[in-house]
Amino acid sequence: MDSIIIKPRNELLKKYVQYFLFFRKSDSGLLSYSTFPNNNLCLAIYKENTIDYTSNSKSNHCIVTEGTASFKSRLFGFHKMPFHVDVRSALDQICILFEPAALSAFTSESYQDLLSADHVFDIFGGDSHFLLEEIFDEEDLFKRVEKLEHILLANLTGRQPEKLKEALDLIAKGSEYLTIETLAKKLGMSPPTLFRLFKYNVGLNPKSYINTNRFRIILNEILQRQSALTSVAHANLYYDQAHFIRDFKAFSGYSPKQLLNKISIEQNDLAWIYNNKNHR
């Protein structure tokens, strides 16, 4: 399978879209891979595939097989454990990776409704089937991005509460491990108000967001291999090594040392594990 990442070209969209990701696979052999929790949200668009997704306390698993429907579009994100994907068919897939809370700048639809929908691309209005036909008919991926950016810009409202932006900035700094009470106090609001702010605009509660942000910072530092694990743990306010390893394993499925022996990095952005050897 080929995976290609293209960054947004439009300066305005760079605030909301992390990158466009394209998967292409021409054969029907099994490809199995795993990715890790992140605070961004992926809008995945499939052509002629069936998507079976199971998400509960014990499983976070997506199976992609050959299908008859022309297009399906789903949201994936806010995982609390590794996300396992089995691709059992040919694949021509587009993913739009939104920055944290950025989808709310394009739609007022509730996250809960969208997360259970099979045609999320419909939020961009018009004849969504025709728009997707046009996009997938274009073989040049950069021209696909141009079409996608045009659609996104046409639907951009930019609606994002200032308090939410302030909260995300405070969390992103990572200079201290924020409790919900501490973050709420810094923002001048009550913890219940903070909880509602995140659930409505981000799609997950503030504690989950903070913990996932912390994991991604640690993951990036580990992948750079520039510091010892004990230094990484202390820099991220872990003073108990066992606690550090336990939390990291809960998010990734592996200890830091195990992960380094398995992980693949695509274009310096996409970190994942191939679960079968013949992935190309």
Side-chain angles (χ1 to χ4, degrees), residues 49-234:
N49 291 115
T50 295
I51 315 302
D52 294 309
Y53 179 47
T54 302
S55 178
N56 53 46
S57 60
K58 296 182 179 179
S59 178
N60 189 26
H61 190 190
C62 180
I63 300 174
V64 182
T65 55
E66 185 177 352
T68 55
S70 295
F71 300 104
K72 284 196 175 182
S73 49
R74 293 191 57 112
L75 286 179
F76 296 106
F78 312 145
H79 307 304
K80 295 182 179 180
M81 64 179 77
F83 178 44
H84 304 295
V85 181
D86 290 335
V87 182
R88 300 176 179 175
S89 67
L91 185 69
D92 185 4
Q93 178 184 349
I94 298 170
C95 293
I96 305 173
L97 274 294
F98 290 95
E99 295 286 358
L103 187 61
S104 62
F106 297 89
T107 179
S108 59
E109 295 279 345
S110 77
Y111 277 96
Q112 293 307 311
D113 289 342
L114 292 176
L115 287 170
S116 60
D118 281 332
H119 300 283
V120 177
F121 196 79
D122 288 353
I123 63 175
F124 297 113
D127 187 339
S128 61
H129 183 91
F130 175 73
L131 292 175
L132 290 174
E133 284 277 10
E134 276 198 327
I135 292 168
F136 277 90
D137 281 347
E138 181 57 70
E139 288 297 315
D140 186 321
L141 297 184
F142 286 95
K143 290 184 178 179
R144 285 191 182 187
V145 169
E146 286 181 9
K147 293 180 183 295
L148 288 165
E149 289 196 341
H150 179 76
I151 293 167
L152 290 169
L153 285 168
N155 287 271
L156 180 61
T157 66
R159 287 192 300 262
Q160 284 187 311
E162 288 301 319
K163 284 293 184 181
L164 178 63
K165 295 178 183 178
E166 187 179 343
L168 296 179
D169 287 343
L170 285 169
I171 295 169
K173 289 178 181 177
S175 57
E176 61 178 308
Y177 183 74
L178 295 168
T179 64
I180 305 308
E181 290 74 17
T182 303
L183 181 58
K185 186 175 181 180
K186 286 178 178 288
L187 295 169
M189 62 177 61
S190 68
T193 301
L194 176 65
F195 183 91
R196 289 191 295 270
L197 178 72
F198 267 74
K199 285 294 286 185
Y200 185 83
N201 293 283
V202 182
L204 72 170
N205 66 60
K207 182 178 180 180
S208 294
Y209 184 95
I210 290 170
N211 289 339
T212 303
N213 183 73
R214 189 187 197 188
F215 164 73
R216 294 302 303 198
I217 291 172
I218 291 169
L219 177 63
N220 290 337
E221 292 177 0
I222 288 173
L223 294 179
Q224 292 173 7
R225 302 172 186 249
Q226 294 179 353
S227 303
L229 288 179
T230 51
S231 298
V232 172
H234 288 161

